[in-house]
């Protein structure tokens, strides 16, 4: 149940959206920057304020699986199955585009990415708006995704005056994107629902390789980057990793080095300008929840370079590593 204050904010937000405006809103993954998906001028504004390349398509959000026929031309049976099991939730399905969905939403593609978020405010907002909502993450292109309303305000200020505040997001990394028009179904982006979990429902599912990942245009661009250059350790096990990071700090004595660490190893680094701990390695979900806020913290700490602990790419560790690797590019 939503409080009456939130409910009236939701109605105000729906009104702005119906008038062609933009609204930032919480989901269980990260905050989204939404526009009426049927209004190409409104969607074009999203690209403009984010500084997002026009060929990088955005996700369309629905309040319920029942609305899927408004955005997809057809729904392959595998997609229907995934939606039934994982919606509402952090899973995005790439489907054949309905002709009512303008090409600006899909970056010119004949497919559309769709999901039903597992967040009461998000669904109340979409339902009140009465239209599907096109929304990428509500950050300036290239910056870490926002997991609080304050992150959104920091990136956009007055350019996005209306932010529905739902507090800190629960998952903290974006949805998993699965191309259901490919055979076999292909994970284009790792995210909140793990490969291992998806495989239990669709045993044939595969993870995109470099040659297939051009199908997810978003993966081409630099992402999630703090201001200071970030690098990842080579090793991911205890003592080797700690000594690798210590050597890195020692080799850059003249500079302010930040370390993105876990609780287990954070106390062992000597001489770092800042050590930000994500959480315990025994709870990678908690580490994922904190990742983007932690990357943003370094921007306030005036560090010259960042070295980040590596994670094993199993379970949610795959999404964590994907975001860290992309933060390290460029
Ligand atoms: O959790 C999330 O997915 C969040 C919340 C707000 O829902 N949204 C989000 O949107 O992360 P964005 O725009 O930051 O990422 C969308 C990803 C990009 O990698 C984009 O390339 C991919 O989805 N995508 C969108 N439409 C696609 C399509 N038709 N085919 C392939 N990939 C698509
Ligand atoms: Mg994004």
């Amino acid at each position: 149940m939503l409080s009456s204050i939130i409910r009236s904010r939701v109605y105000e937000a729906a009104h702005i959206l119906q008038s062609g405006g933009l609204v930032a809103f919480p989901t269980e993954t990260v905050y989204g920057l939404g526009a009426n998906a049927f209004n190409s001028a409104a969607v074009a504004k999203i690209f403009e304020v984010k500084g997002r390349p026009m060929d990088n398509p955005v996700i369309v959000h629905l309040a319920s699986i029942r609305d899927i026929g408004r955005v997809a031309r057809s729904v392959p049976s595998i997609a229907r199955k995934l939606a039934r099991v994982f919606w509402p939730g952090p899973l995005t399905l790439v489907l054949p585009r309905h002709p009512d969905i303008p090409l600006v939403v899909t970056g010119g593609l004949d497919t559309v990415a769709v999901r039903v978020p597992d967040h009461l405010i998000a669904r109340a907002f979409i339902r009140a708006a009465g239209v599907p909502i096109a929304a990428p993450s509500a950050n300036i292109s290239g910056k870490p995704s926002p997991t609080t309303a304050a992150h959104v305000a920091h990136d956009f200020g007055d350019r996005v005056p209306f932010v529905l505040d739902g507090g800190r997001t629960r998952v903290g990394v974006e949805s998993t994107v699965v191309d259901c028009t490919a055979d076999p179904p292909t994970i284009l982006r790792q995210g909140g629902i793990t490969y291992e979990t998806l495989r239990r429902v669709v045993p044939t599912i595969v993870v995109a390789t470099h040659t297939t990942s051009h199908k997810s245009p978003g993966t081409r661009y630099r992402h999630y980057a703090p201001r200071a250059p970030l690098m990842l350790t080579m090793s991911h096990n205890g003592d080797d990793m700690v000594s690798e990071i210590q050597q890195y700090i020692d080799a850059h004595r003249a500079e302010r080095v930040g370390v993105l660490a876990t609780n287990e190893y954070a106390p062992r680094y000597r001489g770092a300008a800042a050590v930000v701990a994500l959480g315990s390695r025994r709870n990678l979900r908690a580490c994922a929840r904190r990742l983007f806020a932690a990357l943003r913290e370094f921007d306030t700490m005036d560090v010259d370079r960042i070295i980040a602990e590596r994670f094993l790419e199993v379970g949610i560790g795959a999404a964590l590593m994907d975001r860290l690797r992309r933060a390290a590019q460029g």
Side-chain angles (χ1 to χ4, degrees), residues 226-263:
R227 261 200 303 272
L230 178 146
M231 81 162 242
L232 266 166
T233 59
M234 305 287 283
S235 52
H236 48 62
N237 59 44
D239 290 343
D240 285 353
M241 193 172 66
V242 171
S243 57
E244 188 185 339
I245 291 182
Q246 192 56 56
Q247 277 167 30
Y248 188 83
I249 298 168
D250 296 342
H252 296 90
R253 277 269 168 244
E255 290 173 279
R256 293 175 55 82
V257 176
V259 182
L260 185 59
T262 49
N263 295 355

Side-chain angles (χ1 to χ4, degrees), residues 25-33 50 52 55-61 90-92 94-95 105-107 109-115 117 135-139 145 173-177 179 188-189 214-219 223-224 323 326:
F25 63 99
T27 78
E28 78 279 35
T29 57
V30 301
Y31 278 70
L33 181 58
K50 276 188 61 108
R52 183 180 176 100
D55 64 351
N56 188 6
V58 300
I59 295 170
V60 175
H61 298 71
L91 178 68
T92 294
V94 174
L95 303 170
V105 171
T106 67
L109 298 174
D110 207 29
T111 55
V112 62
V114 188
R115 84 178 188 100
S137 50
N139 52 282
S145 297
V173 291
E174 299 87 344
S175 61
T176 303
V177 179
D179 186 353
L188 299 179
R189 178 179 72 180
H214 68 275
K215 290 192 82 176
S216 187
T219 55
H223 267 91
Y224 314 117
R323 304 308 185 268
R326 288 201 262 156

Side-chain angles (χ1 to χ4, degrees), residues 188-207:
L188 299 179
R189 178 179 72 180
Q190 304 267 9
I193 306 271
T194 65
Y195 163 69
E196 291 84 347
T197 302
L198 289 168
R199 201 180 46 186
R200 283 203 286 273
V201 176
V202 178
T204 56
I205 200 164
V206 295
V207 179

Side-chain angles (χ1 to χ4, degrees), residues 19-325:
S19 328
L22 305 186
V23 170
F25 63 99
T27 78
E28 78 279 35
T29 57
V30 301
Y31 278 70
L33 181 58
N36 175 352
F38 294 139
N39 181 337
S40 28
V43 175
K45 274 192 245 171
I46 297 178
F47 286 86
E48 191 197 316
V49 300
K50 276 188 61 108
R52 183 180 176 100
M54 292 300 292
D55 64 351
N56 188 6
V58 300
I59 295 170
V60 175
H61 298 71
L62 305 175
S64 157
I65 187 173
R66 284 192 299 274
D67 297 325
I68 201 165
R70 297 179 77 187
V71 300
R73 194 165 66 237
S74 60
V75 184
S77 62
I78 290 276
R80 218 168 267 287
K81 188 168 177 190
L82 286 169
R84 266 203 303 268
V85 176
F86 297 107
W87 284 358
L91 178 68
T92 294
L93 303 176
V94 174
L95 303 170
R97 178 182 64 92
H98 190 290
D100 287 352
I101 294 293
L103 286 168
V104 61
V105 171
T106 67
L109 298 174
D110 207 29
T111 55
V112 62
V114 188
R115 84 178 188 100
V116 177
D118 185 14
H119 196 288
L120 284 181
I121 297 178
R123 287 209 308 281
F125 169 44
I126 303 165
R127 199 167 290 124
V131 289
I133 295 182
S137 50
N139 52 282
I140 299 282
S141 220
K143 285 284 147 196
S145 297
T147 53
T148 66
H151 293 160
V152 181
H154 175 270
D155 276 17
F156 296 112
D158 292 343
R159 304 202 68 195
V160 177
F162 203 95
V163 183
L164 280 171
D165 192 341
R168 204 180 294 278
T169 61
R170 178 171 58 78
V171 177
V173 291
E174 299 87 344
S175 61
T176 303
V177 179
V178 174
D179 186 353
C180 298
T181 68
D183 188 15
T186 305
I187 297 175
L188 299 179
R189 178 179 72 180
Q190 304 267 9
I193 306 271
T194 65
Y195 163 69
E196 291 84 347
T197 302
L198 289 168
R199 201 180 46 186
R200 283 203 286 273
V201 176
V202 178
T204 56
I205 200 164
V206 295
V207 179
T209 60
H210 276 302
T211 44
T212 50
S213 67
H214 68 275
K215 290 192 82 176
S216 187
T219 55
R220 274 203 299 272
Y221 302 104
R222 184 165 190 242
H223 267 91
Y224 314 117
R227 261 200 303 272
L230 178 146
M231 81 162 242
L232 266 166
T233 59
M234 305 287 283
S235 52
H236 48 62
N237 59 44
D239 290 343
D240 285 353
M241 193 172 66
V242 171
S243 57
E244 188 185 339
I245 291 182
Q246 192 56 56
Q247 277 167 30
Y248 188 83
I249 298 168
D250 296 342
H252 296 90
R253 277 269 168 244
E255 290 173 279
R256 293 175 55 82
V257 176
V259 182
L260 185 59
T262 49
N263 295 355
E264 283 80 355
Y265 304 124
R268 294 175 59 181
Y269 303 119
R270 305 276 168 249
V275 180
V276 174
L278 285 178
S280 166
R281 284 189 172 259
R282 285 192 301 254
N283 186 354
L284 289 189
R285 285 265 164 200
C287 294
R289 195 175 302 137
R290 272 221 359 104
L291 176 68
F292 290 137
L295 289 174
R296 282 172 179 265
E297 273 170 42
F298 284 113
D299 282 351
T300 68
M301 290 170 165
D302 193 31
V303 294
D304 302 312
R305 36 178 89 239
I306 302 162
I307 184 159
E309 290 181 8
R310 179 177 285 268
F311 293 88
L312 271 178
E313 291 177 59
V314 290
I316 197 71
L320 261 173
M321 277 299 293
D322 169 78
R323 304 308 185 268
L324 284 172
R325 210 175 269 125

